[in-house]
Amino acid sequence: MGSTVLSLRIDSELLDRLKSHAAKRGMSVQDYVVRTLIREDFDERFKTAVEETQKFYGEGGAPGPEGARDPDHVRPSAGIA
């Protein structure tokens, strides 16, 4: 995997906050920003995957015999807020 340069212009207050957050974690600002972007991207992709799974199975879960819900079926979103 290669890397590319991304240049950002941000105000000094935001940079100070980023420096503070990064320092608390013993990281550089660059590493902190990259990890935040990666985490945000993962969260978004995971949410999309859950939504697609719910569309596939339907909101009520997989139907059991005679259209009743299977009590042993675990919904893909169980425990996800």
Side-chain angles (χ1 to χ4, degrees), residues 11-76:
D11 67 16
S12 59
E13 289 179 27
L14 176 57
L15 181 58
D16 290 341
R17 288 198 321 264
L18 290 172
K19 285 179 181 178
S20 174
H21 289 301
K24 288 178 188 175
R25 292 159 179 82
M27 303 169 72
S28 69
V29 173
Q30 178 180 338
D31 289 341
Y32 177 77
V33 170
V34 168
R35 287 186 82 182
T36 301
L37 291 171
I38 290 169
R39 185 180 65 237
E40 189 69 27
D41 179 59
F42 171 81
D43 291 347
E44 195 164 313
R45 287 183 293 131
F46 184 76
K47 180 181 175 195
T48 300
V50 169
E51 289 170 353
E52 290 297 317
T53 302
Q54 287 176 336
K55 285 181 198 175
F56 181 77
Y57 288 107
E59 289 297 320
E66 300 177 20
R69 285 191 55 205
D70 180 357
D72 294 327
H73 177 76
V74 177
R75 291 184 55 201

